[in-house]
Amino acid sequence: MLEGIIRESIGRKAAKALKRDGYLIANIYGKGLENINAAFKVNEFIKEVRKKSSLIFDVKVGSQVLSVVVVDYQKDPVTSDLKHVDLKIATKGVLSKFMVPIKVKGTAIGLKNKGVLIQSKRRIKVKCLPENLPNFFELDVSKLDVGDALLVKDIVAPSGVSIIDASRVAVVGVEKAR
């Protein structure tokens, strides 16, 4: 389990000192809960996120053990080092909004017909209970030809999960190469 510390001071000077010591600044928040300003060792955080099997994973901050989901992160534009992360508490039984990744499988027919596969959305916004949260949506693109696209309405959501994104938005498609 990933262990972190609670930050007493949330000022710029204290954050710089923590970053210099190899910590990642994190904000942990949830519906109806008070925000927690925390810090994790950067390498431990990256290892934990890479080995997790679901979107929800546990972290220990102070004396609390929280189930969280990564909402957003910032990287340094030059070095690509992780600078900051936002974590949302996934409270059991509380309806929340989450971003679920999309995985593409198969090889589109249109690629043989001088087309290019373009994935315009990497994550889809859903509303559900944390217990029903899918780890990803898998889209089969093997039947797509040049000019075809899969829309948000083509995604089949499991029971208890409702997709918030507009149904007419293209997720992945094949366009003619220029």
Side-chain angles (χ1 to χ4, degrees), residues 108 110 116-120 139-155 167-175:
V116 178
L117 186 73
I118 295 176
Q119 187 173 353
S120 52
L139 296 178
D140 185 15
V141 296
S142 56
K143 293 184 175 115
L144 294 182
D145 203 350
V146 176
D148 294 342
L150 290 174
L151 307 177
V152 171
K153 68 181 177 185
D154 298 329
I155 297 173
S167 60
R168 65 188 177 280
V169 175
V171 178
V172 64
V174 179
E175 291 184 5

Side-chain angles (χ1 to χ4, degrees), residues 8-144:
E8 283 79 38
S9 174
I10 57 172
R12 186 182 296 164
K13 203 173 194 179
K16 271 189 171 181
L18 281 171
K19 286 178 185 175
R20 209 175 16 255
D21 293 340
Y23 280 93
L24 171 68
I25 306 302
N27 290 340
I28 304 172
Y29 56 87
K31 202 172 192 177
L33 301 168
E34 192 156 329
N35 292 359
I36 301 169
N37 296 307
F40 300 100
K41 285 282 189 186
V42 175
N43 294 339
E44 290 175 13
F45 183 84
I46 291 170
K47 282 180 194 169
E48 187 70 28
V49 168
R50 283 191 178 149
K51 76 175 186 182
K52 68 185 172 80
S53 58
S54 69
L55 285 179
I56 300 173
F57 63 102
D58 291 335
V59 296
K60 183 177 182 187
V61 179
S63 61
Q64 296 177 288
V65 175
L66 306 166
S67 295
V68 297
V69 176
V70 175
V71 176
D72 195 20
Y73 58 89
Q74 281 107 38
K75 284 185 166 185
D76 185 280
V78 177
T79 62
S80 290
D81 292 340
L82 205 53
K83 293 291 182 194
H84 175 87
V85 69
D86 286 335
L87 302 172
K88 183 177 191 177
I89 299 171
T91 312
K92 290 195 185 312
V94 176
L95 202 62
S96 296
K97 294 176 184 170
F98 301 101
M99 296 295 282
V100 178
I102 293 174
K103 288 188 178 178
V104 175
K105 76 170 188 179
T107 305
I109 298 168
L111 296 181
K112 294 174 186 145
N113 300 330
K114 296 182 181 168
V116 178
L117 186 73
I118 295 176
Q119 187 173 353
S120 52
K121 282 190 105 25
R122 301 258 178 231
R123 301 191 302 170
I124 295 288
K125 188 179 259 187
V126 299
K127 189 174 190 177
C128 65
L129 297 172
E131 302 88 66
N132 299 336
L133 182 65
N135 292 328
F136 58 87
F137 290 120
E138 192 169 63
L139 296 178
D140 185 15
V141 296
S142 56
K143 293 184 175 115
L144 294 182

